[in-house]
Amino acid sequence: MKITIHRGTHQIGGIAIEICTDRTRIFIDMGDELSLDSEFVPSLLNIPGVTDANGCCDAVFFSHYHGDHTGQMSHIRKDVPLYIGELAKKIMWLTADHAIPRDNMLCEQILRMKTFCAGIKINIGDICITPYSIDHSACDSYMFLLEANGKSILYTGDFRLHGFRGKAILKILRKIGKVDVLITEGTTLSRSSRPVSTEYELQQRVKGYINNYKYVFVLCATTNLDRIIACARSVPYRKYSLCDEYQYKLVKTVCEHWHDFSLFYKMPKLTWFKYSPPERFAKLGGLMFVRANSKFETIIRQYDPAKSILLYSMWDGYRTKPGSKLMNFLTLTGTWEILHTSGHASQDDIRRVIETVDPKILIPVHTDKSEQMKMLCSNRNVLILQDGEEFSL
């Protein structure tokens, strides 16, 4: 097998990984680059046989629906098979269909996507791909085990152990056993190594805010659905848990798909509104999911700021980037606080994953500090590739 990481060896996001044999060529993820610059335009990936007709590609698999892994999907040839998790496809469709203006090309690509199930092998040519469900800030995220010619490659995708389903990952890895190559995300290699909060700990904090404030507003990514469900579950009897129609559709889709797997995904108490919240919210109070736009700014201004708090539940880089107007939104209430934890594994948890599968070769991706992996795992054979560099296994 051969591995070529077309993008993502020295940056967070924009992932595109090629794995091929003499007979089969597949890709994992085709994402947009990330930038905090408001004027930034992601550069297009031009890959023969994938984005043009000068070659062949047997399939593209997507680990999850975040734009830094799917953002280049519209540029993939229409005859190349696309694969993603069933729930992830539904969430992508709802998001794309809701967007203004609507990206018709993207919608067409989503509609033709094939879906896979966790643990069920898929044979593409002479490569066997097994997807495994993992915990990330995007629902229905996957790692992939690829096997061919007696060799095995495990790609972690974006993952974490401190989410509600994080404990299952190490059990999955023990089942997989040792691999020849581990391609692992390393987002947090450039961040502090201090302990991270768990999603459960955030949920407990929300309960405290609801006890101390009449109106609790939560600014959270609409597709960070585990967190939204956890926050909604924190609202006690006789208080409102509110969201708009779009957010309600996303939550309902997840709960309909996963309610048999866990009681956590039983539909929480959640009331949706189209234009304005119920009048009784002013009397009873509770929690409301908001987005940083003029509609929700008008809504928040209706309530006493002295009795309100706004919880910022997103990556802090969005708030602090040059030109950001988020602070204007956050100060609509008398108080605001950060309520967030990473969607990515801590450095300690990355090390635990590596030790569990004991790879012969370790390749870091999705990181702007790839050399840090050698320090984190000094006893490992860490291979630092450059974008576009081919490695034969």
Side-chain angles (χ1 to χ4, degrees):
M1 283 196 284
K2 295 179 181 178
I3 300 169
T4 306
I5 300 169
H6 291 267
R7 193 160 67 191
T9 60
H10 291 79
Q11 68 182 54
I12 297 173
I15 290 292
I17 299 174
E18 175 182 349
I19 296 173
C20 69
T21 65
D22 292 339
R23 292 172 43 197
T24 308
R25 186 183 187 220
I26 67 173
F27 278 73
I28 300 176
D29 292 334
M30 286 279 288
D32 277 340
E33 299 167 287
L34 296 175
S35 174
L36 293 176
D37 184 352
S38 59
E39 303 297 321
F40 177 77
V41 177
S43 59
L44 295 181
L45 280 166
N46 295 304
I47 303 175
V50 181
T51 58
D52 63 31
N54 298 320
C56 66
C57 177
D58 295 290
V60 179
F61 285 75
F62 292 97
S63 59
H64 62 286
Y65 52 69
H66 281 160
D68 60 325
H69 293 255
T70 63
Q72 300 273 314
M73 191 171 74
S74 296
H75 306 289
I76 298 173
R77 281 173 26 193
K78 301 301 183 290
D79 61 333
V80 174
L82 309 177
Y83 290 84
I84 198 167
E86 183 180 359
L87 175 57
K89 177 178 178 177
K90 292 178 180 178
I91 293 171
M92 282 191 73
W93 171 254
L94 288 171
T95 304
D97 193 47
H98 178 77
I100 300 175
R102 191 174 190 267
D103 186 338
N104 290 325
M105 186 177 297
L106 174 61
C107 289
E108 289 176 6
Q109 291 284 67
I110 294 171
L111 284 174
R112 75 177 187 85
M113 295 180 89
K114 300 179 180 182
T115 59
F116 50 68
C117 296
I120 305 301
K121 297 179 184 294
I122 301 172
N123 292 301
I124 306 291
D126 60 347
I127 299 178
C128 177
I129 304 100
T130 310
Y132 292 96
S133 180
I134 56 174
D135 192 290
H136 180 45
S137 52
C139 275
D140 208 26
S141 295
Y142 291 85
M143 65 172 60
F144 296 108
L145 177 66
L146 303 102
E147 299 169 289
N149 301 331
K151 301 291 184 179
S152 59
I153 300 170
L154 181 66
Y155 169 58
T156 66
D158 290 358
F159 75 98
R160 62 183 180 181
L161 304 188
H162 56 274
F164 288 107
R165 295 177 294 113
K167 292 181 180 179
I169 293 177
L170 293 179
K171 294 179 182 179
I172 291 169
L173 294 176
R174 293 186 192 105
K175 178 181 177 182
I176 292 171
K178 295 184 178 182
V179 297
D180 292 296
V181 177
L182 176 66
I183 304 173
T184 180
E185 75 129 307
T187 307
T188 61
L189 293 178
S190 57
R191 300 178 185 175
S192 168
S193 60
R194 66 178 183 270
V196 296
S197 298
T198 67
E199 289 287 348
Y200 177 77
E201 289 169 343
L202 295 191
Q203 185 185 38
Q204 299 311 300
R205 286 177 56 191
V206 171
K207 292 179 180 178
Y209 289 124
I210 294 172
N211 287 334
N212 294 326
Y213 294 89
K214 188 171 184 178
Y215 310 109
V216 177
F217 302 99
V218 179
L219 178 60
C220 180
T222 55
T223 56
N224 192 346
L225 291 156
D226 275 13
R227 184 167 303 162
I228 288 167
I229 291 170
C231 289
R233 292 206 174 286
S234 303
V235 180
Y237 178 68
R238 291 190 62 78
K239 283 186 177 289
Y240 272 100
S241 177
L242 296 176
C243 67
D244 67 1
E245 184 179 14
Y246 169 53
Q247 187 69 78
Y248 184 85
K249 286 181 179 179
L250 289 170
V251 173
K252 185 179 180 182
T253 298
V254 173
C255 292
E256 287 179 344
H257 192 83
W258 274 354
H259 71 275
D260 287 339
F261 300 149
S262 169
L263 290 175
F264 178 80
Y265 295 104
K266 182 180 178 182
M267 187 68 186
K269 180 180 73 172
L270 198 56
T271 301
W272 68 271
F273 61 89
K274 192 164 188 179
Y275 300 110
S276 58
E279 292 183 3
R280 280 175 57 81
F281 179 67
K283 178 181 178 181
L284 297 179
L287 180 145
M288 184 189 303
F289 297 101
V290 299
R291 291 192 288 281
N293 58 35
S294 58
K295 172 186 174 180
F296 282 105
E297 179 178 344
T298 300
I299 289 172
I300 291 173
R301 289 185 184 278
Q302 298 175 23
Y303 305 101
D304 185 351
K307 299 178 181 179
S308 305
I309 187 170
L310 202 157
L311 304 179
Y312 180 75
S313 194
M314 302 170 71
W315 179 50
D316 209 37
Y318 298 131
R319 180 182 67 86
T320 58
K321 71 179 181 180
S324 172
K325 297 180 180 179
L326 277 175
M327 282 306 303
N328 296 334
F329 188 82
L330 294 176
T331 52
L332 290 171
T333 56
T335 307
W336 73 273
E337 291 190 18
I338 294 175
L339 180 91
H340 188 59
T341 191
S342 179
H344 300 272
S346 68
Q347 293 181 30
D348 284 343
D349 286 342
I350 290 173
R351 188 188 294 111
R352 291 173 70 189
V353 165
I354 293 167
E355 291 173 351
T356 302
V357 295
D358 191 22
K360 296 177 182 177
I361 299 170
L362 174 61
I363 302 175
V365 295
H366 205 280
T367 177
D368 50 12
K369 292 288 185 180
S370 55
E371 291 290 340
Q372 185 69 22
M373 188 67 80
K374 291 183 177 180
M375 298 179 64
L376 184 69
C377 303
S378 58
N379 62 328
R380 295 286 171 182
N381 181 14
V382 179
L383 177 62
I384 307 297
L385 295 178
Q386 302 299 318
D387 285 358
E389 181 181 354
E390 184 182 277
F391 170 72
S392 295
L393 177 59

